[in-house]
Amino acid sequence: MPDLSQDVIADILSRLPLKSVCRLRCVSKSWFNLTTEPHFINTHLNRHRKKQKIILSSNNSLFSLDPEAPIDDDMLPLEIDFPLKNHPNTEWVHMFGSCNGLVCIMPQPEAFFIFNPTTRESLRVPDCPMPSHICPPEPQEVMFHHAYSFGYAPSIDDYKFVKVAYGCMVLIFSLKSSSWKRVQDFPYKHHLEKSGTTLNGAVHWLCRRLEVGGTCVIAAFDLAQEKFSDLPPPESVTDYKRFTTGVLRGCLCLLHQHDRRHSFWIMNKYGVKESWTMIMITDSYSSISLKPLCYWKDTKILLARSWKQLLLCNPNDGTCKNLLGNGLPDKFCADVYEECLISPNLWFQRNSQLRLAPITVLYTFLLLVHMNYLLLVTELSKFLTKKSN
């Protein structure tokens, strides 16, 4: 296309499906360079952000489901390769959040990867240097285990992995700086049995204030400022232990279980208490493990239940039905992701280039000094030879 500018070509390619873009990278070196630029990758992601896929994790396996598949009741999950898949110590693959097409997985204990399920690229998170001083939580409030989450801070263009160690110490790994740091301790009473929900550059958990008789709040940890703030839950929320959180169409959600019934809350305007609206799920389920995933064909809400079932909820009347799929694992965890071209190694590559830059400058300087020295010696030799003659 010699008559088209690079901007026009980039605009055309950014409107194509991701698989088509990957194939067209082989057309020429210029197209490869064009489609690997951060601006093109972000433009492509923003134009295809609504096309979400379901990722299922189970025993030594990851699967992908397409919500836009033509037949609801006869879907075939596609298996995904992932880091350490064939390693003998790999058992259950845990997931700790998804953002902009990148998913945080743990295929082995304490082995965390930032993983792109579409391109299969991954980055292993370095081991966290645990501080010598710890602050064990109150035994009646939380189990002695760690909690994890993963998200993106758009204001600083950085992805961060969050570890809440021993229920209180908050440690952050930044992809941009490729380093760990400890920030303020977790300032709430909580049951952090699941990963937090990432939205608007923050990670969210439903907790309770520390003071006696403290009220329930949604703890929002800002990934850019690395500070906590409170968001108001629905007025009727008084028990922080029987809720799960999620995101639907950019809105924060809460699912509450009480007497085998579930109420489904959606915060239509972020941070505004009066914007909470409720959907009562009419079918009874004994488990509190109901997680909202996404809208299915723009009409029903897809829920994951109890590590073994996918449900379609009708938001108009609260009824649910099983979503059947051939080849689903017996037990699984579920999350959503977007197909994207973002490389989890991009920041590592940038940091490597920045580290090499001073060395390159020094080398160039020494080379110029050496060349000037040789030129000086040559001219001096010529002068002495001419003078001696």
Side-chain angles (χ1 to χ4, degrees):
M1 298 182 183
D3 297 330
L4 297 180
S5 68
Q6 289 292 96
D7 290 342
V8 173
I9 295 174
D11 183 70
I12 295 172
L13 295 179
S14 67
R15 299 174 188 276
L16 299 177
L18 184 138
K19 290 183 179 179
S20 299
V21 174
C22 291
R23 286 194 294 265
L24 290 172
R25 282 181 169 180
C26 302
V27 170
S28 67
K29 184 177 180 180
S30 63
W31 280 26
F32 177 85
N33 293 334
L34 179 66
T35 56
T36 53
E37 291 179 352
H39 177 72
F40 175 88
I41 291 173
N42 291 331
T43 301
H44 187 275
L45 174 64
N46 291 330
R47 284 181 170 168
H48 300 267
R49 188 176 292 277
K50 292 183 179 180
K51 298 179 181 179
Q52 293 181 314
K53 287 195 171 184
I54 314 301
I55 185 168
L56 306 174
S57 67
S58 64
N59 188 29
N60 195 26
S61 298
L62 284 178
F63 298 91
S64 175
L65 281 176
D66 187 357
E68 297 184 2
I71 303 175
D72 288 349
D73 294 334
D74 189 25
M75 296 180 307
L76 183 66
L78 301 177
E79 192 164 2
I80 303 173
D81 289 330
F82 60 91
L84 303 181
K85 175 177 173 57
N86 297 316
H87 194 279
N89 293 333
T90 298
E91 295 181 357
W92 190 274
V93 184
H94 296 270
M95 296 189 295
F96 298 107
S98 168
C99 193
N100 291 345
L102 300 180
V103 183
C104 181
I105 63 172
M106 185 180 71
Q108 293 180 11
E110 297 300 312
F112 300 96
F113 290 85
I114 309 304
F115 174 58
N116 186 326
T118 306
T119 65
R120 309 298 195 264
E121 287 185 86
S122 66
L123 171 70
R124 181 159 184 170
V125 177
D127 292 340
C128 177
M130 293 296 293
S132 57
H133 172 71
I134 62 173
C135 48
E138 300 177 29
Q140 71 272 19
E141 291 296 338
V142 66
M143 305 292 284
F144 286 88
H145 57 64
H146 306 320
Y148 310 95
S149 198
F150 171 70
Y152 176 65
S155 62
I156 57 174
D157 187 27
D158 194 10
Y159 291 85
K160 295 189 177 183
F161 174 63
V162 181
K163 178 176 183 177
V164 183
Y166 303 105
C168 63
M169 290 190 301
V170 182
L171 302 114
I172 309 295
F173 177 77
S174 162
L175 263 67
K176 199 171 189 177
S177 65
S178 189
S179 62
W180 282 94
K181 67 185 294 188
R182 181 177 177 179
V183 295
Q184 70 174 108
D185 289 344
F186 202 91
Y188 305 92
K189 291 185 177 181
H190 57 83
H191 271 240
L192 301 185
E193 298 178 357
K194 300 178 178 67
S195 62
T197 296
T198 302
L199 178 66
N200 293 343
V203 181
H204 304 80
W205 291 275
L206 187 68
C207 306
R208 197 180 79 188
R209 291 193 175 97
L210 288 175
E211 64 265 20
V212 177
T215 58
C216 286
V217 295
I218 298 172
F221 180 71
D222 189 294
L223 292 170
Q225 299 182 5
E226 298 176 342
K227 295 180 180 179
F228 284 94
S229 61
D230 298 350
L231 292 182
E235 192 69 39
S236 61
V237 172
T238 58
D239 182 4
Y240 67 98
K241 300 177 184 179
R242 304 187 70 81
F243 279 82
T244 55
T245 58
V247 175
L248 281 176
R249 288 181 176 167
C251 295
L252 189 64
C253 304
L254 290 177
L255 266 168
H256 176 227
Q257 191 266 346
H258 177 70
D259 293 336
R260 297 175 63 90
R261 297 284 180 178
H262 289 79
S263 54
F264 187 2
W265 293 89
I266 300 177
M267 184 183 249
N268 293 295
K269 291 184 179 180
Y270 186 76
V272 179
K273 184 174 183 178
E274 292 74 20
S275 70
W276 285 107
T277 57
M278 187 184 72
I279 301 171
M280 180 60 71
I281 298 178
T282 57
D283 299 322
S284 62
Y285 296 98
S286 59
S287 171
I288 65 170
S289 183
L290 274 181
K291 177 182 178 180
L293 296 174
C294 64
Y295 273 90
W296 191 268
K297 300 189 184 302
D298 291 327
T299 57
K300 296 182 180 180
I301 300 172
L302 181 65
L303 306 172
R305 174 184 176 249
S306 301
W307 298 55
K308 61 183 179 181
Q309 199 172 20
L310 293 175
L311 301 175
L312 286 177
C313 173
N314 187 333
N316 297 320
D317 57 16
T319 59
C320 296
K321 73 168 187 175
N322 291 344
L323 178 66
L324 304 178
N326 293 327
L328 286 177
D330 294 334
K331 290 185 178 181
F332 56 84
C333 289
D335 208 333
V336 295
Y337 72 99
E338 298 119 356
E339 288 190 320
C340 77
L341 296 165
I342 296 176
S343 170
N345 296 291
L346 176 62
W347 288 262
F348 174 78
Q349 294 165 359
R350 289 177 181 174
N351 292 336
S352 298
Q353 291 171 356
L354 290 174
R355 286 192 292 267
L356 288 174
I359 299 175
T360 304
V361 172
L362 178 61
Y363 175 78
T364 304
F365 173 75
L366 293 175
L367 182 61
L368 289 173
V369 170
H370 180 67
M371 291 174 65
N372 287 331
Y373 172 76
L374 290 177
L375 181 61
L376 178 62
V377 170
T378 302
E379 292 299 322
L380 181 61
S381 177
K382 287 180 181 180
F383 174 76
L384 292 174
T385 303
K386 184 177 181 180
K387 189 174 181 180
S388 64
N389 293 336

